[in-house]
Amino acid sequence: PAESAAPPAQTEAKAKAKAEPAKDGGGGAAAPARDMAPANGNSGRAEQKTLGLYLEDTYLFEHTAKLLDVWQDGEKVCLELDQTIFHPQGGGQPCDVGRIVADGLPPLEVIFVQLDKERLGVVRHDCKGDFAAWSAAKERGCVVTCKVDEEKRRLFARTHSAGHLLDVAVHDLGFRWTAGKGYHFPDGPYVEYIPTAEGRQLDNKAKDAVIAELDARMKELIARASPVSVTKLDGVRTVAFEDVSCGCGGTHVKHGGELGEVVVKKLQAKQGNMRVSYSVN
């Protein structure tokens, strides 16, 4: 899934200023944030019935919740909770997986998490387990414990964050491309950009050189370990790396240094857009 364009109200709410990249080690005033539209589909102000704790703390891997509803969809046991640490799939990022447990009940394996298409604002947890046992527990309104797969959560956060830092590197090299969509799954992540007539223009004969430049700039940015800022702007969750910000509902690292090794692998034209592929090792 790709990151989806923000509704007009969200886009208008975001800062429009674009500044030249700050010089390393400079002592001047901080440059205004550069907006990289679009915001993804999990970032907006749509009514959220399930409290998303994953938006507040990427590193919250275990937490309690109240069981509100249980239903069956084929062989899947589906749960609605009052709050959750499981990130639903969307915004170009895969969902969290893990387990949900409760006293006196067989554990559930969480295999998929999504924003429910029929229940507005509800995060739906699709699980494998004993439907009859959990359906009976619904009437008691029992308290459950959510346990996210920590290794996958950390990988997904690093992969998504690397895509945002790539926006910084692209702009720092003089390109004024507009971010179109992102695929932040570990199996071949990329960001697609829409070229513009402004700024540096890509010489197709020099793609390998640009890949090397982007890769080198990413390493410099990671080494700086700049903090990642998460704020709310007119109800839209906004994530900023260096001085580049955009609406985002994903999980992210605390600072660039947590990304580890990121390799820019490919630069290719896709239906008039430029796709920059990378890997997170």
Side-chain angles (χ1 to χ4, degrees), residues 77-96:
V77 179
C78 306
L79 267 62
E80 177 188 348
L81 308 174
D82 68 330
Q83 59 184 14
T84 185
I85 57 174
F86 286 91
H87 182 280
Q89 184 159 301
Q93 179 175 329
C95 69
D96 288 320

Side-chain angles (χ1 to χ4, degrees), residues 2 17 19 33 61 75 86 89 94 112 156 164 218 231 241 262 277-278:
F61 304 116
E75 297 183 352
F86 286 91
Q89 184 159 301
F112 193 72
F156 296 163
H164 281 249
M218 286 290 285
T231 57
F241 286 72
V262 178
S277 301
Y278 62 95

